[in-house]
Amino acid sequence: MKVRLLDLDRGGAVGVEVDEKAHPIAIIDKLKELGIVGRFETVIFGVSPNGRQVFYVPAATVAQLVAYSNQTKQPLCFRRFPIHGYGKG
């Protein structure tokens, strides 16, 4: 399933291909694999009714997340956050 996300930190849209039955965390893994998100970063993703904030969407699968986005006509988006101390030591 092709998932289109808005990057609220850098602007623009990002498209990733993930299994529709996968847990939404697969989106984060794919963003890291493609180099869009750094090794010492993670993201919070969900819908953004105003294009500035991320609102969490409880979803068990990527398909449910996309369905909610389509139903509410709100774009899926993400924002980066550093992981402090991860991988050190």
Side-chain angles (χ1 to χ4, degrees), residues 21-81:
K21 294 179 183 175
H23 189 276
I25 296 298
I27 295 171
I28 297 172
D29 295 339
K30 194 64 167 182
L31 291 170
K32 285 186 175 197
E33 181 183 309
L34 296 172
I36 297 166
V37 174
R39 192 171 104 183
F40 297 112
E41 292 179 314
T42 191
V43 301
I44 184 169
F45 57 89
V47 295
S48 180
N50 61 9
R52 293 177 294 197
Q53 297 171 318
V54 178
F55 292 89
Y56 174 71
V57 176
T61 65
V62 171
Q64 289 177 347
L65 181 67
V66 171
Y68 181 84
S69 172
N70 292 337
Q71 180 183 5
T72 61
K73 295 180 177 36
Q74 298 177 77
L76 285 175
C77 60
F78 70 95
R79 180 154 287 184
R80 291 169 182 79
F81 291 94

